[in-house]
Amino acid sequence: MPLSAIDLVFLEDVLVGLLNTPSPTGYAQRAIEYTGNILAQFPALSLSHTRKGALVANWPGRASDAPRALTAHADTLGAMVKEIKSNGRLKLTKIGGFAWNTIEGEGCTVFTHQGGTVRGSLLLSKASSHVHGSQVNDLKREDDNMEVRLDARVNSADQTRALGIEIGDFVVFDPRVELTNGFVRSRHLDDKACVACMLAAVKALHEAGLQPAQTTTLHISNYEEVGHGAASGFPPDLAELVTVDMAAVGEGQASDEFHASICVKDSGGPYHYELSQRLRSLAEAHNIPYKVDIYPYYGSDGEALWRAGGDVAVALIGPGVDASHNYERTHMDALVATTNWIVAYLVS
Ligand SMILES: [Zn+2]
């Protein structure tokens, strides 16, 4: 059976909208709401939220003897104000796993607990070459040596507090989204690219008048980057979970920006063999360009469910993303392949 046509304009629009919606882990509600508003357009889905804040959509299938779920995460890397320095600048604590040098010089927004925003940038505390010479090169990029310079006239902690900034306020780094020649370059393609693919798959099935083969839960996670996103939020009779998350591209990796990948093993060990085999067969049957890969420093939301005691088959697929947890990039080819794979799974 040929796959349903994918609306590429929709896929791209949803992705760009999501990328430009700030959603660090712990403060991902805007991206959850954005996703919910789009899913609300599809009448077959019934939407709800978990108490933890994840978005869950129930989609009745032709059968319901082996219910399925797909998960992708809307939360991203980010930071929180750890300390207000005596010079009025901010010391941060990271949210999620990344290196400071990947965001050095990036613009950022502080979301104050009072509901305001303050712009600034993330810099080395000894940033000027004309003042600090070789230290700009030599200084280790660690928490104590990085600071936010606010775009406001402040030079004391009290002046910064007067802007409404306090310890615990969330800090969001500019995604810098750019589309060129089919490439999508942005921060946080992990995992907004996969949320967009999931939505495009839902649209394709709806427009074709198709129902999933099994009753399916679409789970948009909001705590993945800290390791426990999809630990909850599924029906008790769930039989299998396909995690949709980025594939790790780089030296020694099979994945690339033009294919979807299936991960057969990552830091959490092997995924479910039979479910992975079925997904590979589906990719073969539908001519979906895919790679089989192993991710050396990686954990997924599917494993979060396993670690929480979930007795379900779990597999992991997703588009190749270059320079992950850095200034990332993928290509529409990988997004289309991932979307087609989701469609093939849903109707199989
Ligand atoms: Zn991810």
Side-chain angles (χ1 to χ4, degrees):
M1 184 179 68
L3 294 174
S4 315
I6 291 165
D7 183 341
L8 294 181
V9 175
F10 173 86
L11 174 57
E12 211 174 274
D13 285 353
V14 166
L15 177 55
V16 170
L18 257 179
L19 291 168
N20 283 314
T21 304
S23 59
T25 309
Y27 200 68
Q29 64 274 14
R30 281 181 176 82
I32 291 288
E33 197 187 322
Y34 179 94
T35 307
N37 287 340
I38 293 167
L39 285 177
Q41 299 164 19
F42 304 109
L45 306 179
S46 32
L47 304 183
S48 60
H49 293 88
T50 67
R51 286 185 282 271
K52 188 165 145 184
L55 175 66
V56 172
N58 179 268
W59 196 357
R62 298 194 301 276
S64 57
D65 55 307
R68 298 171 176 175
L70 289 158
T71 187
H73 65 95
D75 63 305
T76 71
L77 305 174
M80 207 182 236
V81 177
K82 160 69 175 60
E83 222 176 293
I84 301 174
K85 297 169 72 169
S86 58
N87 64 1
R89 297 188 177 198
L90 309 175
K91 203 186 270 191
L92 302 183
T93 180
K94 290 181 216 173
I95 297 172
F98 63 94
W100 284 121
N101 60 286
T102 63
I103 49 164
E104 192 174 339
E106 190 61 274
C108 65
T109 303
V110 183
F111 286 81
T112 78
H113 62 293
Q114 297 174 333
T117 56
V118 182
R119 288 287 291 164
S121 47
L122 192 277
L123 296 166
L124 191 66
S125 57
K126 294 179 192 271
S128 169
S129 295
H130 300 102
V131 178
H132 302 291
S134 64
Q135 285 194 82
V136 180
N137 217 2
D138 299 340
L139 211 58
K140 197 149 193 257
R141 272 55 178 170
E142 54 193 19
D143 293 13
D144 284 342
N145 294 334
M146 309 306 292
E147 64 183 17
V148 171
R149 176 188 63 190
L150 297 164
D151 296 331
R153 292 196 175 208
V154 290
N155 51 33
S156 73
D158 284 346
Q159 287 174 332
T160 294
R161 285 208 163 83
L163 297 173
I165 293 175
E166 205 25 278
I167 291 162
D169 287 352
F170 283 91
V171 179
V172 169
F173 301 101
D174 293 350
R176 274 192 292 136
V177 188
E178 195 173 319
L179 279 69
T180 309
N181 296 330
F183 287 100
V184 187
R185 168 158 51 83
S186 175
R187 297 188 185 281
H188 316 320
L189 288 168
D190 174 12
D191 188 27
K192 289 173 169 175
C194 297
V195 175
C197 290
M198 211 193 281
L199 298 185
V202 170
K203 185 168 192 275
L205 251 69
H206 268 83
E207 283 175 354
L210 293 171
Q211 224 184 332
Q214 286 282 343
T215 293
T216 301
T217 299
L218 306 175
H219 180 280
I220 308 299
S221 167
N222 61 335
Y223 273 94
E224 193 275 349
E225 291 293 358
V226 293
H228 58 75
S232 59
F234 300 98
D237 58 346
L238 187 71
E240 53 194 42
L241 170 67
V242 173
T243 310
V244 192
D245 208 337
M246 50 137 284
V249 171
E251 204 182 322
Q253 293 300 105
S255 302
D256 66 35
E257 295 165 272
F258 312 103
H259 291 73
S261 285
I262 181 159
C263 176
V264 291
K265 177 182 180 289
D266 63 17
S267 306
Y271 282 87
H272 191 268
Y273 185 70
E274 286 78 15
L275 181 55
S276 299
Q277 287 289 99
R278 249 172 58 217
L279 287 162
R280 288 166 75 162
S281 304
L282 282 171
E284 297 286 348
H286 295 283
N287 294 315
I288 294 164
Y290 80 105
K291 304 274 188 181
V292 180
D293 212 353
I294 290 169
Y295 309 155
Y297 302 101
Y298 193 108
S300 82
D301 245 348
E303 286 160 344
L305 181 60
W306 266 351
R307 289 187 202 286
D311 180 23
V312 305
V314 173
L316 170 63
I317 61 169
V321 169
D322 187 62
S324 53
H325 284 201
N326 202 319
Y327 193 21
E328 300 170 344
R329 194 183 72 170
T330 189
H331 191 276
M332 286 302 287
D333 286 359
L335 302 183
V336 169
T338 302
T339 306
N340 277 325
W341 213 345
I342 295 170
V343 168
Y345 172 67
L346 283 169
V347 299
S348 68

